[in-house]
Amino acid sequence: MSIYLDYISTAEMIKKMDNVYILTHQSPDGDTIGSGFALYYALTDMGKKAKVLCSDTFHKKYSYITDGYKDTDFTPDYIVSTDVADAKLLGDLKEPYGDKVYLCIDHHISNVEYSKYLLVSPNSSANCEVMYKLLKTMGIKLTEIIAKCLYTGIATDTGCFKFSNCNAETHWITSEIMSTFPSINYAEINRLMFDVKSLARIKAEREALDNITYYLDGQVSVLCITNEMITRLNMSLDDFEGLTGLSTQTEGVEVGITMKEIKKDTFKISLRSVNEVNVSKVCQKFGGGGHIKAGGCKIENTPAKNIIKMLVDTISEELNQ
């Protein structure tokens, strides 16, 4: 069980930290990258040693955030995770660091309290909102690079401000960032995050849409990416990012399922809810979690058709409540 902190106590704690490892989750998205690097730049600006770690590489489209990063070797005194609801989401970092996380800064309602101390704000649309308020509480003067980090996390976790998790506070924080740093090219960040796609990604989207299947009278859609497809289209893991949005584009769909085969009969699964279904609750039944309208899990050693039946049956129960 974690000890819950508020912003003031967390701010005081971080001010006293030095030699900090900052952990981000596997298959890193804009929010874990944005919040992790925002904390890194804040700590280094304070003259402290910090290092950002991830089990996977960061996509080159985030280079405007990562280019200013300077990797240094030191022994950590503190380990902090950002946007990581469960230690198992650390991937290869779980074994060396999963049980050593001193502080977790998160916004997931499904956080499993694996850290010693926890700052969590489930009502925040993005972890970068939590990081913004934390840095302000610390008295940190935002820099342009920190502003880019925070904007990126907020924009990506709200689907460029389209998702239902986007609220008045989201827009207020974003307005504060944009007003303070009007010279940042926010349109270019949005283009990189949401519009620019590799040729393999374009081919994958076309094939995925051609093979999407529907269940429960069209209320559930399933987009399944298999190893065969990955090999045939010469895709990389980077090509997957953002693909989950396709699953809810069809009219009448209440829940979209995106399945990605990471090895034979082992799938990484993302769920998106359009209206009332709590997909975090669905994913928790399979060892995962997330938010009410966006969740994920991993199911191993099970054929795709069996996984689809399990998920659809569980979603059906939620729809009928």
Side-chain angles (χ1 to χ4, degrees):
M1 295 286 289
S2 298
I3 299 172
Y4 280 73
L5 302 177
D6 58 18
Y7 283 99
I8 294 174
S9 54
T10 306
E12 292 304 313
M13 177 183 288
I14 293 179
K15 286 179 183 179
K16 298 175 183 177
M17 289 183 179
D18 200 353
N19 301 315
V20 182
Y21 276 8
I22 303 168
L23 309 184
T24 56
H25 63 65
Q26 62 187 357
S27 302
D29 59 10
D31 199 24
T32 197
I33 293 171
S35 51
F37 277 89
L39 181 58
Y40 162 81
Y41 288 120
L43 288 172
T44 54
D45 285 348
M46 296 168 68
K48 300 174 182 291
K49 290 182 180 179
K51 186 184 184 87
V52 180
L53 287 80
C54 186
S55 61
D56 300 317
T57 57
F58 299 125
H59 193 286
K60 61 183 180 181
K61 70 180 181 180
Y62 295 104
S63 61
Y64 66 91
I65 288 175
T66 59
D67 279 352
Y69 176 72
K70 295 181 180 179
D71 193 12
T72 56
D73 291 326
F74 60 87
T75 301
D77 293 326
Y78 296 95
I79 296 176
V80 177
S81 65
T82 58
D83 195 42
V84 184
D86 192 318
K88 66 186 178 185
L89 298 175
L90 294 170
D92 293 341
L93 298 179
K94 179 181 181 297
E95 184 173 346
Y97 304 118
D99 61 351
K100 298 180 178 65
V101 178
Y102 188 76
L103 170 65
C104 172
I105 304 169
D106 191 26
H107 73 126
H108 293 92
I109 195 171
S110 61
N111 191 287
V112 300
E113 303 181 8
Y114 62 92
S115 58
K116 183 173 182 179
Y117 294 98
L118 174 63
L119 173 66
V120 62
S121 177
N123 292 324
S124 295
S125 69
N127 203 52
C128 277
E129 282 189 24
V130 183
M131 190 61 65
Y132 172 86
K133 289 186 281 188
L134 177 59
L135 295 180
K136 296 291 280 187
T137 304
M138 290 173 64
I140 299 294
K141 184 177 181 180
L142 299 189
T143 60
E144 184 171 296
I145 186 61
I146 292 176
K148 289 179 179 179
C149 292
L150 297 175
Y151 179 87
T152 297
I154 295 171
T156 52
D157 248 33
T158 60
C160 206
F161 308 97
K162 292 188 300 184
F163 296 162
S164 61
N165 63 340
C166 185
N167 52 44
E169 185 173 52
T170 305
H171 287 291
W172 178 81
I173 290 174
T174 305
S175 176
E176 287 287 299
I177 293 170
M178 297 179 75
S179 297
T180 306
F181 297 94
S183 62
I184 292 176
N185 192 341
Y186 299 99
E188 177 62 14
I189 292 176
N190 292 338
R191 190 184 77 87
L192 288 171
M193 295 300 105
F194 302 103
D195 296 336
V196 177
K197 302 173 183 178
S198 67
L199 180 58
R201 167 60 181 272
I202 297 292
K203 292 179 179 178
E205 285 190 10
R206 183 174 61 201
E207 179 143 346
L209 288 172
D210 284 342
N211 291 282
I212 197 166
T213 54
Y214 299 92
Y215 301 85
L216 303 180
D217 295 324
Q219 294 183 92
V220 177
S221 68
V222 178
L223 192 162
C224 186
I225 307 294
T226 64
N227 276 330
E228 182 277 330
M229 185 187 300
I230 294 167
T231 301
R232 176 163 46 84
L233 298 178
N234 193 29
M235 296 175 67
S236 69
L237 290 176
D238 290 339
D239 296 316
F240 291 144
E241 189 173 357
L243 203 61
T244 54
L246 296 177
S247 64
T248 56
Q249 289 183 356
T250 304
E251 184 178 6
V253 168
E254 292 292 327
V255 178
I257 301 171
T258 303
M259 300 170 49
K260 302 168 188 174
E261 191 173 25
I262 52 179
K263 63 181 180 180
K264 183 173 174 54
D265 291 339
T266 295
F267 288 82
K268 180 182 176 184
I269 299 159
S270 296
L271 269 67
R272 295 292 182 270
S273 174
V274 175
N275 291 308
E276 302 304 323
V277 176
N278 184 341
V279 293
S280 176
K281 183 179 177 182
V282 173
C283 291
Q284 284 175 348
K285 293 183 178 181
F286 300 97
H291 304 288
I292 292 174
K293 295 197 174 183
C297 60
K298 183 171 75 172
I299 299 179
E300 301 178 305
N301 304 316
T302 308
K305 64 179 182 180
N306 293 7
I307 294 175
I308 293 171
K309 185 178 186 309
M310 291 158 56
L311 290 169
V312 171
D313 286 348
T314 304
I315 293 167
S316 178
E317 294 174 4
E318 292 296 315
L319 283 168
N320 291 327
Q321 285 185 0

